[in-house]
Amino acid sequence: MRKFFAVALGSAVALAGFAGAANASATIDLIWADGSTEIMGVDPSDTITLSVILTAGVEGSSGAGVSVDYIGALGKLSVIAFSSTAGGPLPLTLGSTIDTGSRVENINSVALISLGLGTGLQDGESHQLGTVTFHKDVLVAGDFEIRVDANGATDAVLDFDGNEIQDTTTFNSAFLINVPEPGALSMLILGLGGLSLVGRGRRS
């Protein structure tokens, strides 16, 4: 196991024993506050929040630590707040959640089931691992992807017995869709038209 879980979960895993994880899986979703995976109509200076959601697969889950990679939206969004939100069936957090400048790493919630610290998740149950809040800096037309993964040094996704299952976990992105305001688009077209006329005048 990676060091994220090695010390804190080592004794609990030893007590629980290991189950085969070949068919285990989970899903990690990034969901905007309106419940969607895509958001548009966000004005510069607005703030928007992503929830990081773990849904257990057939082998259940005792938690996960993941990273939100926002490099695809750099220059359009900046991170202003982030946190791991342990509670309920996954009541513990391990280590520190950090922002590297392009990734928020170690967003996590876990349970030590054999020690009575949390019940973990059964098949189909979900839990919010944490949140990331962004500030909209500029309006640039285009679609910008925000990814989630378990590639950080202290990341892992666990089944109910503490086995790592990130290799069979589905990671779903979120998207920021920037569409210029109609007025701004008209001004852009008029501006380009004016430049074209100026160019023609110089050539005549």
Side-chain angles (χ1 to χ4, degrees), residues 11-13 27 32 39 42 45 47 51 57-58 60 65-66 78 81 90 98 105 116 125 131 154 163 171 178 183:
S11 60
V13 170
T27 303
W32 296 109
I39 192 169
V42 182
S45 79
T47 59
S51 293
V58 294
V66 299
S78 56
L90 304 178
I98 62 169
E105 297 190 332
E125 293 183 333
T131 61
T154 58
N163 301 302
F171 296 89
N178 282 346

Side-chain angles (χ1 to χ4, degrees), residues 20-144:
N23 297 317
S25 63
T27 303
I28 308 290
D29 291 296
L30 296 180
I31 306 294
W32 296 109
D34 65 358
S36 70
T37 59
E38 298 181 353
I39 192 169
M40 60 188 303
V42 182
D43 295 325
S45 79
D46 283 354
T47 59
I48 50 178
T49 298
L50 271 178
S51 293
V52 185
I53 307 296
L54 163 66
T55 301
V58 294
E59 297 295 330
S61 179
S62 59
V66 299
S67 298
V68 172
D69 187 331
Y70 60 94
I71 193 168
L74 276 178
K76 295 82 180 175
L77 297 176
S78 56
V79 172
I80 59 173
F82 54 89
S83 65
S84 295
T85 54
L90 304 178
L92 307 173
T93 59
L94 301 177
S96 299
T97 305
I98 62 169
D99 180 14
T100 69
S102 62
R103 291 166 57 85
V104 178
E105 297 190 332
N106 197 27
I107 296 174
N108 74 92
S109 300
V110 299
L112 298 177
I113 298 168
S114 66
L115 300 181
L117 301 175
T119 59
L121 302 176
Q122 299 295 329
D123 184 15
E125 293 183 333
S126 296
H127 176 85
Q128 178 178 283
L129 296 174
T131 61
V132 181
T133 299
F134 299 92
H135 178 270
K136 180 69 173 296
D137 295 328
V138 296
L139 181 60
V140 178
D143 297 351
F144 305 98

